[in-house]
Amino acid sequence: MNRMNKPDNVTPLKIADAERGLRHVFVRDLLLDAHIGVYKHELGSAQPIRVNVDLSVSEAPHGDALDNVVCYATVVDRIKAIVDEGHLNLVETLAERIAAVCLEDERVQTARVRVEKLAVIPEAAGVGVEIERHRPHP
């Protein structure tokens, strides 16, 4: 462990990086209603969640064409589709599914996903999980 209490073999995510040819695509504070949770009071009705996504994307000359970039609107549509699939027990499961669909695009190298429940604990603005997943190296 280093002085920041991180394992020495873990490199902090540098999302945009000119030297490595990476750009940062993000979705901030996406507010949705989701059927999520394991507790009795969470079953049978939707509750508010907040989703944040940070993607580290391989840059390429894009020529100002939407097909040549990772589109944040597409990312949002995919998140909404996952939420609309039905009840999930865990925010961890939702975060993993979001990361997985983001990594389906070969240009996405890293996905950091934060999912928060906003109305579960009255004294907290939000509770949840943040994960980071990397594209496996060939």
Side-chain angles (χ1 to χ4, degrees):
M1 294 276 193
N2 61 28
R3 63 185 173 91
M4 294 175 55
N5 294 325
K6 292 184 181 180
D8 291 325
N9 61 348
V10 175
T11 304
L13 178 63
K14 186 172 182 186
I15 296 187
D17 187 333
E19 290 178 17
R20 293 178 45 215
L22 298 174
R23 73 171 46 110
H24 179 201
V25 175
F26 61 92
V27 176
R28 283 284 167 270
D29 297 331
L30 177 63
L31 298 174
L32 300 170
D33 289 323
H35 290 271
I36 193 163
V38 296
Y39 297 108
K40 189 175 185 176
H41 66 275
E42 295 178 304
L43 302 176
S45 62
Q47 64 178 294
I49 63 168
R50 177 180 13 245
V51 178
N52 284 280
V53 177
D54 294 290
L55 305 175
S56 183
V57 177
S58 295
E59 287 190 331
H62 57 83
D64 204 28
L66 185 58
D67 290 344
N68 296 328
V69 298
V70 173
C71 175
Y72 46 80
T74 301
V75 172
V76 169
D77 288 344
R78 290 177 143 200
I79 294 168
K80 288 178 179 179
I82 293 167
V83 168
D84 288 344
E85 287 175 0
H87 185 86
L88 291 171
N89 288 329
L90 304 173
V91 291
E92 290 84 352
T93 303
L94 178 55
E96 292 289 351
R97 289 185 182 177
I98 293 168
V101 299
C102 291
L103 289 167
E104 286 176 2
D105 187 316
E106 293 182 2
R107 298 169 291 189
V108 176
Q109 301 303 306
T110 303
R112 180 180 288 160
V113 179
R114 176 186 290 245
V115 177
E116 297 175 77
K117 292 180 181 181
L118 303 178
V120 173
I121 298 176
E123 299 85 2
V127 296
V129 66
E130 180 175 282
I131 65 168
E132 181 178 297
R133 298 293 176 260
H134 301 281
R135 172 167 303 290
H137 294 290

